PDB file of all heavy atoms in Angstrom:
ATOM      1  N   ALA E  86      -4.537 -39.005  14.622  1.00  0.00           N
ATOM      2  CA  ALA E  86      -5.796 -39.256  15.318  1.00  0.00           C
ATOM      3  C   ALA E  86      -6.752 -38.098  15.058  1.00  0.00           C
ATOM      4  O   ALA E  86      -6.326 -36.956  14.851  1.00  0.00           O
ATOM      5  CB  ALA E  86      -5.569 -39.419  16.816  1.00  0.00           C
ATOM      6  N   ILE E  87      -8.034 -38.409  15.067  1.00  0.00           N
ATOM      7  CA  ILE E  87      -9.094 -37.408  14.944  1.00  0.00           C
ATOM      8  C   ILE E  87      -9.898 -37.403  16.235  1.00  0.00           C
ATOM      9  O   ILE E  87     -10.297 -38.470  16.737  1.00  0.00           O
ATOM     10  CB  ILE E  87     -10.026 -37.718  13.757  1.00  0.00           C
ATOM     11  CG1 ILE E  87      -9.260 -37.632  12.436  1.00  0.00           C
ATOM     12  CG2 ILE E  87     -11.217 -36.761  13.734  1.00  0.00           C
ATOM     13  CD1 ILE E  87      -8.775 -36.249  12.083  1.00  0.00           C
ATOM     14  N   GLY E  88     -10.141 -36.227  16.789  1.00  0.00           N
ATOM     15  CA  GLY E  88     -10.989 -36.077  17.965  1.00  0.00           C
ATOM     16  C   GLY E  88     -12.297 -35.412  17.578  1.00  0.00           C
ATOM     17  O   GLY E  88     -12.287 -34.355  16.919  1.00  0.00           O
ATOM     18  N   ILE E  89     -13.425 -36.002  17.945  1.00  0.00           N
ATOM     19  CA  ILE E  89     -14.748 -35.499  17.585  1.00  0.00           C
ATOM     20  C   ILE E  89     -15.458 -35.028  18.847  1.00  0.00           C
ATOM     21  O   ILE E  89     -15.801 -35.836  19.726  1.00  0.00           O
ATOM     22  CB  ILE E  89     -15.582 -36.586  16.886  1.00  0.00           C
ATOM     23  CG1 ILE E  89     -14.836 -37.131  15.665  1.00  0.00           C
ATOM     24  CG2 ILE E  89     -16.951 -36.041  16.483  1.00  0.00           C
ATOM     25  CD1 ILE E  89     -15.476 -38.359  15.043  1.00  0.00           C
ATOM     26  N   ARG E  90     -15.629 -33.715  18.978  1.00  0.00           N
ATOM     27  CA  ARG E  90     -16.348 -33.088  20.097  1.00  0.00           C
ATOM     28  C   ARG E  90     -15.796 -33.486  21.466  1.00  0.00           C
ATOM     29  O   ARG E  90     -16.540 -33.594  22.433  1.00  0.00           O
ATOM     30  CB  ARG E  90     -17.846 -33.392  20.008  1.00  0.00           C
ATOM     31  CG  ARG E  90     -18.493 -32.884  18.726  1.00  0.00           C
ATOM     32  CD  ARG E  90     -20.000 -32.993  18.773  1.00  0.00           C
ATOM     33  NE  ARG E  90     -20.596 -32.582  17.520  1.00  0.00           N
ATOM     34  CZ  ARG E  90     -20.773 -31.314  17.123  1.00  0.00           C
ATOM     35  NH1 ARG E  90     -20.356 -30.336  17.908  1.00  0.00           N
ATOM     36  NH2 ARG E  90     -21.331 -31.030  15.958  1.00  0.00           N
ATOM     37  N   ASN E  91     -14.510 -33.741  21.522  1.00  0.00           N
ATOM     38  CA  ASN E  91     -13.872 -34.158  22.770  1.00  0.00           C
ATOM     39  C   ASN E  91     -14.570 -35.357  23.390  1.00  0.00           C
ATOM     40  O   ASN E  91     -14.563 -35.557  24.601  1.00  0.00           O
ATOM     41  CB  ASN E  91     -13.837 -33.006  23.781  1.00  0.00           C
ATOM     42  CG  ASN E  91     -12.823 -33.238  24.889  1.00  0.00           C
ATOM     43  OD1 ASN E  91     -11.780 -33.869  24.673  1.00  0.00           O
ATOM     44  ND2 ASN E  91     -13.120 -32.749  26.075  1.00  0.00           N
ATOM     45  N   ARG E  92     -15.157 -36.187  22.537  1.00  0.00           N
ATOM     46  CA  ARG E  92     -15.897 -37.349  23.000  1.00  0.00           C
ATOM     47  C   ARG E  92     -15.386 -38.643  22.380  1.00  0.00           C
ATOM     48  O   ARG E  92     -15.277 -39.668  23.044  1.00  0.00           O
ATOM     49  CB  ARG E  92     -17.380 -37.177  22.672  1.00  0.00           C
ATOM     50  CG  ARG E  92     -18.278 -38.368  22.990  1.00  0.00           C
ATOM     51  CD  ARG E  92     -18.431 -38.595  24.479  1.00  0.00           C
ATOM     52  NE  ARG E  92     -19.096 -37.488  25.129  1.00  0.00           N
ATOM     53  CZ  ARG E  92     -19.409 -37.463  26.428  1.00  0.00           C
ATOM     54  NH1 ARG E  92     -19.100 -38.503  27.198  1.00  0.00           N
ATOM     55  NH2 ARG E  92     -19.996 -36.415  26.967  1.00  0.00           N
ATOM     56  N   VAL E  93     -15.083 -38.605  21.076  1.00  0.00           N
ATOM     57  CA  VAL E  93     -14.676 -39.792  20.327  1.00  0.00           C
ATOM     58  C   VAL E  93     -13.314 -39.544  19.695  1.00  0.00           C
ATOM     59  O   VAL E  93     -13.050 -38.450  19.179  1.00  0.00           O
ATOM     60  CB  VAL E  93     -15.705 -40.135  19.232  1.00  0.00           C
ATOM     61  CG1 VAL E  93     -15.209 -41.273  18.345  1.00  0.00           C
ATOM     62  CG2 VAL E  93     -17.045 -40.501  19.851  1.00  0.00           C
ATOM     63  N   GLU E  94     -12.464 -40.537  19.745  1.00  0.00           N
ATOM     64  CA  GLU E  94     -11.143 -40.477  19.104  1.00  0.00           C
ATOM     65  C   GLU E  94     -10.977 -41.671  18.172  1.00  0.00           C
ATOM     66  O   GLU E  94     -11.231 -42.816  18.556  1.00  0.00           O
ATOM     67  CB  GLU E  94     -10.045 -40.509  20.166  1.00  0.00           C
ATOM     68  CG  GLU E  94      -8.635 -40.571  19.601  1.00  0.00           C
ATOM     69  CD  GLU E  94      -7.603 -40.787  20.695  1.00  0.00           C
ATOM     70  OE1 GLU E  94      -7.371 -39.835  21.474  1.00  0.00           O
ATOM     71  OE2 GLU E  94      -7.058 -41.911  20.790  1.00  0.00           O
ATOM     72  N   LEU E  95     -10.549 -41.409  16.950  1.00  0.00           N
ATOM     73  CA  LEU E  95     -10.212 -42.439  15.979  1.00  0.00           C
ATOM     74  C   LEU E  95      -8.750 -42.263  15.614  1.00  0.00           C
ATOM     75  O   LEU E  95      -8.319 -41.156  15.261  1.00  0.00           O
ATOM     76  CB  LEU E  95     -11.092 -42.330  14.729  1.00  0.00           C
ATOM     77  CG  LEU E  95     -12.603 -42.385  14.956  1.00  0.00           C
ATOM     78  CD1 LEU E  95     -13.352 -42.112  13.659  1.00  0.00           C
ATOM     79  CD2 LEU E  95     -13.016 -43.736  15.532  1.00  0.00           C
ATOM     80  N   SER E  96      -7.953 -43.330  15.703  1.00  0.00           N
ATOM     81  CA  SER E  96      -6.512 -43.187  15.534  1.00  0.00           C
ATOM     82  C   SER E  96      -5.929 -44.278  14.648  1.00  0.00           C
ATOM     83  O   SER E  96      -6.535 -45.337  14.446  1.00  0.00           O
ATOM     84  CB  SER E  96      -5.809 -43.211  16.899  1.00  0.00           C
ATOM     85  OG  SER E  96      -6.023 -44.459  17.561  1.00  0.00           O
ATOM     86  N   TYR E  97      -4.726 -43.992  14.138  1.00  0.00           N
ATOM     87  CA  TYR E  97      -3.994 -44.959  13.311  1.00  0.00           C
ATOM     88  C   TYR E  97      -2.499 -44.720  13.504  1.00  0.00           C
ATOM     89  O   TYR E  97      -2.037 -43.572  13.614  1.00  0.00           O
ATOM     90  CB  TYR E  97      -4.338 -44.800  11.831  1.00  0.00           C
ATOM     91  CG  TYR E  97      -3.385 -45.549  10.926  1.00  0.00           C
ATOM     92  CD1 TYR E  97      -3.475 -46.935  10.789  1.00  0.00           C
ATOM     93  CD2 TYR E  97      -2.373 -44.887  10.246  1.00  0.00           C
ATOM     94  CE1 TYR E  97      -2.585 -47.639   9.984  1.00  0.00           C
ATOM     95  CE2 TYR E  97      -1.477 -45.571   9.432  1.00  0.00           C
ATOM     96  CZ  TYR E  97      -1.591 -46.945   9.303  1.00  0.00           C
ATOM     97  OH  TYR E  97      -0.700 -47.632   8.522  1.00  0.00           O
ATOM     98  N   ALA E  98      -1.742 -45.809  13.525  1.00  0.00           N
ATOM     99  CA  ALA E  98      -0.283 -45.716  13.555  1.00  0.00           C
ATOM    100  C   ALA E  98       0.312 -46.866  12.753  1.00  0.00           C
ATOM    101  O   ALA E  98      -0.202 -47.993  12.781  1.00  0.00           O
ATOM    102  CB  ALA E  98       0.237 -45.744  14.988  1.00  0.00           C
ATOM    103  N   HIS E  99       1.390 -46.560  12.039  1.00  0.00           N
ATOM    104  CA  HIS E  99       2.177 -47.585  11.357  1.00  0.00           C
ATOM    105  C   HIS E  99       3.534 -47.645  12.043  1.00  0.00           C
ATOM    106  O   HIS E  99       4.242 -46.632  12.141  1.00  0.00           O
ATOM    107  CB  HIS E  99       2.360 -47.251   9.875  1.00  0.00           C
ATOM    108  CG  HIS E  99       3.222 -48.236   9.144  1.00  0.00           C
ATOM    109  ND1 HIS E  99       2.801 -49.522   8.877  1.00  0.00           N
ATOM    110  CD2 HIS E  99       4.493 -48.128   8.657  1.00  0.00           C
ATOM    111  CE1 HIS E  99       3.775 -50.171   8.232  1.00  0.00           C
ATOM    112  NE2 HIS E  99       4.800 -49.346   8.092  1.00  0.00           N
ATOM    113  N   GLN E 100       3.902 -48.815  12.526  1.00  0.00           N
ATOM    114  CA  GLN E 100       5.148 -49.005  13.266  1.00  0.00           C
ATOM    115  C   GLN E 100       6.105 -49.891  12.484  1.00  0.00           C
ATOM    116  O   GLN E 100       5.684 -50.874  11.862  1.00  0.00           O
ATOM    117  CB  GLN E 100       4.870 -49.658  14.621  1.00  0.00           C
ATOM    118  CG  GLN E 100       3.951 -48.864  15.521  1.00  0.00           C
ATOM    119  CD  GLN E 100       3.593 -49.619  16.791  1.00  0.00           C
ATOM    120  OE1 GLN E 100       3.697 -50.838  16.855  1.00  0.00           O
ATOM    121  NE2 GLN E 100       3.152 -48.892  17.808  1.00  0.00           N
ATOM    122  N   VAL E 101       7.384 -49.545  12.544  1.00  0.00           N
ATOM    123  CA  VAL E 101       8.446 -50.357  11.948  1.00  0.00           C
ATOM    124  C   VAL E 101       9.509 -50.583  13.011  1.00  0.00           C
ATOM    125  O   VAL E 101      10.029 -49.629  13.591  1.00  0.00           O
ATOM    126  CB  VAL E 101       9.067 -49.672  10.713  1.00  0.00           C
ATOM    127  CG1 VAL E 101      10.221 -50.515  10.177  1.00  0.00           C
ATOM    128  CG2 VAL E 101       8.014 -49.462   9.631  1.00  0.00           C
ATOM    129  N   PHE E 102       9.823 -51.850  13.256  1.00  0.00           N
ATOM    130  CA  PHE E 102      10.817 -52.236  14.259  1.00  0.00           C
ATOM    131  C   PHE E 102      12.031 -52.821  13.534  1.00  0.00           C
ATOM    132  O   PHE E 102      11.951 -53.895  12.936  1.00  0.00           O
ATOM    133  CB  PHE E 102      10.220 -53.270  15.215  1.00  0.00           C
ATOM    134  CG  PHE E 102      11.105 -53.641  16.370  1.00  0.00           C
ATOM    135  CD1 PHE E 102      11.310 -52.764  17.412  1.00  0.00           C
ATOM    136  CD2 PHE E 102      11.727 -54.888  16.414  1.00  0.00           C
ATOM    137  CE1 PHE E 102      12.117 -53.113  18.492  1.00  0.00           C
ATOM    138  CE2 PHE E 102      12.524 -55.242  17.476  1.00  0.00           C
ATOM    139  CZ  PHE E 102      12.728 -54.351  18.520  1.00  0.00           C
ATOM    140  N   ASP E 103      13.146 -52.099  13.554  1.00  0.00           N
ATOM    141  CA  ASP E 103      14.368 -52.472  12.837  1.00  0.00           C
ATOM    142  C   ASP E 103      15.290 -53.230  13.790  1.00  0.00           C
ATOM    143  O   ASP E 103      15.699 -52.694  14.829  1.00  0.00           O
ATOM    144  CB  ASP E 103      15.055 -51.211  12.313  1.00  0.00           C
ATOM    145  CG  ASP E 103      16.208 -51.510  11.364  1.00  0.00           C
ATOM    146  OD1 ASP E 103      16.710 -52.648  11.360  1.00  0.00           O
ATOM    147  OD2 ASP E 103      16.618 -50.591  10.624  1.00  0.00           O
ATOM    148  N   THR E 104      15.631 -54.474  13.434  1.00  0.00           N
ATOM    149  CA  THR E 104      16.499 -55.282  14.300  1.00  0.00           C
ATOM    150  C   THR E 104      17.973 -54.944  14.136  1.00  0.00           C
ATOM    151  O   THR E 104      18.815 -55.481  14.869  1.00  0.00           O
ATOM    152  CB  THR E 104      16.304 -56.779  14.004  1.00  0.00           C
ATOM    153  OG1 THR E 104      16.686 -57.052  12.659  1.00  0.00           O
ATOM    154  CG2 THR E 104      14.847 -57.184  14.223  1.00  0.00           C
ATOM    155  N   ARG E 105      18.331 -54.121  13.163  1.00  0.00           N
ATOM    156  CA  ARG E 105      19.719 -53.693  12.930  1.00  0.00           C
ATOM    157  C   ARG E 105      20.663 -54.888  12.987  1.00  0.00           C
ATOM    158  O   ARG E 105      20.397 -55.952  12.422  1.00  0.00           O
ATOM    159  CB  ARG E 105      20.091 -52.610  13.946  1.00  0.00           C
ATOM    160  CG  ARG E 105      19.340 -51.334  13.707  1.00  0.00           C
ATOM    161  CD  ARG E 105      19.536 -50.220  14.704  1.00  0.00           C
ATOM    162  NE  ARG E 105      20.690 -50.266  15.552  1.00  0.00           N
ATOM    163  CZ  ARG E 105      20.712 -49.774  16.791  1.00  0.00           C
ATOM    164  NH1 ARG E 105      19.607 -49.235  17.298  1.00  0.00           N
ATOM    165  NH2 ARG E 105      21.794 -49.823  17.507  1.00  0.00           N
ATOM    166  N   GLY E 106      21.797 -54.742  13.675  1.00  0.00           N
ATOM    167  CA  GLY E 106      22.762 -55.833  13.732  1.00  0.00           C
ATOM    168  C   GLY E 106      22.279 -57.037  14.513  1.00  0.00           C
ATOM    169  O   GLY E 106      22.714 -58.170  14.267  1.00  0.00           O
ATOM    170  N   ALA E 107      21.351 -56.814  15.466  1.00  0.00           N
ATOM    171  CA  ALA E 107      20.845 -57.935  16.258  1.00  0.00           C
ATOM    172  C   ALA E 107      20.071 -58.928  15.402  1.00  0.00           C
ATOM    173  O   ALA E 107      19.953 -60.099  15.754  1.00  0.00           O
ATOM    174  CB  ALA E 107      19.948 -57.411  17.384  1.00  0.00           C
ATOM    175  N   GLY E 108      19.552 -58.464  14.263  1.00  0.00           N
ATOM    176  CA  GLY E 108      18.807 -59.357  13.385  1.00  0.00           C
ATOM    177  C   GLY E 108      19.643 -60.524  12.894  1.00  0.00           C
ATOM    178  O   GLY E 108      19.153 -61.657  12.795  1.00  0.00           O
ATOM    179  N   ALA E 109      20.916 -60.256  12.601  1.00  0.00           N
ATOM    180  CA  ALA E 109      21.809 -61.326  12.149  1.00  0.00           C
ATOM    181  C   ALA E 109      22.057 -62.328  13.266  1.00  0.00           C
ATOM    182  O   ALA E 109      22.040 -63.547  13.053  1.00  0.00           O
ATOM    183  CB  ALA E 109      23.119 -60.728  11.651  1.00  0.00           C
ATOM    184  N   ALA E 110      22.270 -61.829  14.488  1.00  0.00           N
ATOM    185  CA  ALA E 110      22.516 -62.719  15.627  1.00  0.00           C
ATOM    186  C   ALA E 110      21.303 -63.577  15.945  1.00  0.00           C
ATOM    187  O   ALA E 110      21.447 -64.700  16.434  1.00  0.00           O
ATOM    188  CB  ALA E 110      22.920 -61.890  16.851  1.00  0.00           C
ATOM    189  N   LEU E 111      20.117 -63.058  15.648  1.00  0.00           N
ATOM    190  CA  LEU E 111      18.880 -63.804  15.908  1.00  0.00           C
ATOM    191  C   LEU E 111      18.512 -64.725  14.753  1.00  0.00           C
ATOM    192  O   LEU E 111      17.499 -65.428  14.812  1.00  0.00           O
ATOM    193  CB  LEU E 111      17.726 -62.826  16.165  1.00  0.00           C
ATOM    194  CG  LEU E 111      17.822 -61.994  17.451  1.00  0.00           C
ATOM    195  CD1 LEU E 111      16.767 -60.901  17.460  1.00  0.00           C
ATOM    196  CD2 LEU E 111      17.670 -62.886  18.680  1.00  0.00           C
ATOM    197  N   GLY E 112      19.324 -64.718  13.702  1.00  0.00           N
ATOM    198  CA  GLY E 112      19.070 -65.592  12.561  1.00  0.00           C
ATOM    199  C   GLY E 112      18.055 -65.043  11.570  1.00  0.00           C
ATOM    200  O   GLY E 112      17.590 -65.767  10.682  1.00  0.00           O
ATOM    201  N   LEU E 113      17.746 -63.750  11.678  1.00  0.00           N
ATOM    202  CA  LEU E 113      16.760 -63.133  10.799  1.00  0.00           C
ATOM    203  C   LEU E 113      17.388 -62.386   9.640  1.00  0.00           C
ATOM    204  O   LEU E 113      16.730 -62.119   8.629  1.00  0.00           O
ATOM    205  CB  LEU E 113      15.880 -62.157  11.602  1.00  0.00           C
ATOM    206  CG  LEU E 113      15.073 -62.764  12.747  1.00  0.00           C
ATOM    207  CD1 LEU E 113      14.423 -61.659  13.575  1.00  0.00           C
ATOM    208  CD2 LEU E 113      14.013 -63.713  12.207  1.00  0.00           C
ATOM    209  N   GLY E 114      18.642 -62.027   9.788  1.00  0.00           N
ATOM    210  CA  GLY E 114      19.318 -61.198   8.794  1.00  0.00           C
ATOM    211  C   GLY E 114      19.464 -59.779   9.295  1.00  0.00           C
ATOM    212  O   GLY E 114      18.574 -59.244   9.965  1.00  0.00           O
ATOM    213  N   ARG E 115      20.587 -59.161   8.963  1.00  0.00           N
ATOM    214  CA  ARG E 115      20.858 -57.796   9.415  1.00  0.00           C
ATOM    215  C   ARG E 115      19.799 -56.836   8.887  1.00  0.00           C
ATOM    216  O   ARG E 115      19.371 -56.919   7.748  1.00  0.00           O
ATOM    217  CB  ARG E 115      22.245 -57.350   8.951  1.00  0.00           C
ATOM    218  CG  ARG E 115      22.676 -56.003   9.512  1.00  0.00           C
ATOM    219  CD  ARG E 115      24.077 -55.635   9.073  1.00  0.00           C
ATOM    220  NE  ARG E 115      24.486 -54.372   9.655  1.00  0.00           N
ATOM    221  CZ  ARG E 115      25.035 -54.232  10.862  1.00  0.00           C
ATOM    222  NH1 ARG E 115      25.243 -55.303  11.611  1.00  0.00           N
ATOM    223  NH2 ARG E 115      25.375 -53.045  11.332  1.00  0.00           N
ATOM    224  N   ASN E 116      19.347 -55.935   9.767  1.00  0.00           N
ATOM    225  CA  ASN E 116      18.335 -54.933   9.430  1.00  0.00           C
ATOM    226  C   ASN E 116      16.979 -55.537   9.061  1.00  0.00           C
ATOM    227  O   ASN E 116      16.180 -54.900   8.360  1.00  0.00           O
ATOM    228  CB  ASN E 116      18.822 -54.003   8.311  1.00  0.00           C
ATOM    229  CG  ASN E 116      20.019 -53.171   8.711  1.00  0.00           C
ATOM    230  OD1 ASN E 116      21.067 -53.223   8.067  1.00  0.00           O
ATOM    231  ND2 ASN E 116      19.895 -52.416   9.790  1.00  0.00           N
ATOM    232  N   PHE E 117      16.728 -56.743   9.539  1.00  0.00           N
ATOM    233  CA  PHE E 117      15.391 -57.329   9.341  1.00  0.00           C
ATOM    234  C   PHE E 117      14.368 -56.464  10.070  1.00  0.00           C
ATOM    235  O   PHE E 117      14.595 -56.007  11.193  1.00  0.00           O
ATOM    236  CB  PHE E 117      15.345 -58.753   9.894  1.00  0.00           C
ATOM    237  CG  PHE E 117      14.037 -59.458   9.677  1.00  0.00           C
ATOM    238  CD1 PHE E 117      13.813 -60.180   8.517  1.00  0.00           C
ATOM    239  CD2 PHE E 117      13.022 -59.387  10.618  1.00  0.00           C
ATOM    240  CE1 PHE E 117      12.603 -60.837   8.307  1.00  0.00           C
ATOM    241  CE2 PHE E 117      11.811 -60.038  10.419  1.00  0.00           C
ATOM    242  CZ  PHE E 117      11.602 -60.759   9.248  1.00  0.00           C
ATOM    243  N   LYS E 118      13.223 -56.226   9.448  1.00  0.00           N
ATOM    244  CA  LYS E 118      12.226 -55.306  10.003  1.00  0.00           C
ATOM    245  C   LYS E 118      10.893 -56.016  10.246  1.00  0.00           C
ATOM    246  O   LYS E 118      10.387 -56.718   9.375  1.00  0.00           O
ATOM    247  CB  LYS E 118      12.016 -54.112   9.070  1.00  0.00           C
ATOM    248  CG  LYS E 118      13.238 -53.220   8.927  1.00  0.00           C
ATOM    249  CD  LYS E 118      12.961 -52.072   7.964  1.00  0.00           C
ATOM    250  CE  LYS E 118      14.154 -51.124   7.885  1.00  0.00           C
ATOM    251  NZ  LYS E 118      15.348 -51.778   7.336  1.00  0.00           N
ATOM    252  N   PHE E 119      10.354 -55.815  11.440  1.00  0.00           N
ATOM    253  CA  PHE E 119       8.975 -56.155  11.742  1.00  0.00           C
ATOM    254  C   PHE E 119       8.141 -54.887  11.568  1.00  0.00           C
ATOM    255  O   PHE E 119       8.649 -53.777  11.716  1.00  0.00           O
ATOM    256  CB  PHE E 119       8.826 -56.656  13.180  1.00  0.00           C
ATOM    257  CG  PHE E 119       9.466 -57.988  13.441  1.00  0.00           C
ATOM    258  CD1 PHE E 119      10.776 -58.075  13.914  1.00  0.00           C
ATOM    259  CD2 PHE E 119       8.766 -59.162  13.224  1.00  0.00           C
ATOM    260  CE1 PHE E 119      11.366 -59.302  14.165  1.00  0.00           C
ATOM    261  CE2 PHE E 119       9.345 -60.393  13.472  1.00  0.00           C
ATOM    262  CZ  PHE E 119      10.640 -60.469  13.937  1.00  0.00           C
ATOM    263  N   ALA E 120       6.860 -55.043  11.278  1.00  0.00           N
ATOM    264  CA  ALA E 120       5.984 -53.880  11.144  1.00  0.00           C
ATOM    265  C   ALA E 120       4.574 -54.256  11.567  1.00  0.00           C
ATOM    266  O   ALA E 120       4.197 -55.432  11.566  1.00  0.00           O
ATOM    267  CB  ALA E 120       5.980 -53.362   9.707  1.00  0.00           C
ATOM    268  N   GLN E 121       3.807 -53.245  11.930  1.00  0.00           N
ATOM    269  CA  GLN E 121       2.386 -53.475  12.208  1.00  0.00           C
ATOM    270  C   GLN E 121       1.611 -52.183  12.031  1.00  0.00           C
ATOM    271  O   GLN E 121       2.151 -51.076  12.148  1.00  0.00           O
ATOM    272  CB  GLN E 121       2.160 -54.062  13.599  1.00  0.00           C
ATOM    273  CG  GLN E 121       2.254 -53.098  14.747  1.00  0.00           C
ATOM    274  CD  GLN E 121       1.710 -53.673  16.054  1.00  0.00           C
ATOM    275  OE1 GLN E 121       0.802 -54.507  16.070  1.00  0.00           O
ATOM    276  NE2 GLN E 121       2.262 -53.224  17.170  1.00  0.00           N
ATOM    277  N   ASP E 122       0.321 -52.347  11.742  1.00  0.00           N
ATOM    278  CA  ASP E 122      -0.618 -51.236  11.683  1.00  0.00           C
ATOM    279  C   ASP E 122      -1.552 -51.340  12.883  1.00  0.00           C
ATOM    280  O   ASP E 122      -2.012 -52.430  13.240  1.00  0.00           O
ATOM    281  CB  ASP E 122      -1.445 -51.287  10.397  1.00  0.00           C
ATOM    282  CG  ASP E 122      -0.581 -51.111   9.152  1.00  0.00           C
ATOM    283  OD1 ASP E 122       0.072 -50.060   9.050  1.00  0.00           O
ATOM    284  OD2 ASP E 122      -0.561 -52.019   8.309  1.00  0.00           O
ATOM    285  N   VAL E 123      -1.823 -50.193  13.503  1.00  0.00           N
ATOM    286  CA  VAL E 123      -2.690 -50.144  14.688  1.00  0.00           C
ATOM    287  C   VAL E 123      -3.840 -49.185  14.412  1.00  0.00           C
ATOM    288  O   VAL E 123      -3.622 -47.989  14.167  1.00  0.00           O
ATOM    289  CB  VAL E 123      -1.922 -49.685  15.941  1.00  0.00           C
ATOM    290  CG1 VAL E 123      -2.827 -49.732  17.171  1.00  0.00           C
ATOM    291  CG2 VAL E 123      -0.670 -50.529  16.160  1.00  0.00           C
ATOM    292  N   PHE E 124      -5.060 -49.705  14.441  1.00  0.00           N
ATOM    293  CA  PHE E 124      -6.269 -48.905  14.240  1.00  0.00           C
ATOM    294  C   PHE E 124      -6.998 -48.815  15.574  1.00  0.00           C
ATOM    295  O   PHE E 124      -7.286 -49.840  16.196  1.00  0.00           O
ATOM    296  CB  PHE E 124      -7.182 -49.554  13.201  1.00  0.00           C
ATOM    297  CG  PHE E 124      -6.530 -49.777  11.862  1.00  0.00           C
ATOM    298  CD1 PHE E 124      -5.807 -50.946  11.623  1.00  0.00           C
ATOM    299  CD2 PHE E 124      -6.633 -48.839  10.856  1.00  0.00           C
ATOM    300  CE1 PHE E 124      -5.200 -51.171  10.390  1.00  0.00           C
ATOM    301  CE2 PHE E 124      -6.031 -49.047   9.625  1.00  0.00           C
ATOM    302  CZ  PHE E 124      -5.314 -50.214   9.385  1.00  0.00           C
TER     303      PHE E 124
END
Side-chain angles (χ1 to χ4, degrees):
I87 296 294
I89 304 171
R90 300 190 183 282
N91 198 32
R92 175 69 64 177
V93 173
E94 175 188 289
L95 304 174
S96 62
Y97 167 76
H99 177 70
Q100 300 174 339
V101 177
F102 186 73
D103 189 342
T104 62
R105 292 175 19 211
L111 293 170
L113 299 172
R115 187 178 182 86
N116 296 123
F117 183 89
K118 295 179 176 64
F119 292 93
Q121 77 167 330
D122 296 301
V123 184
F124 303 87

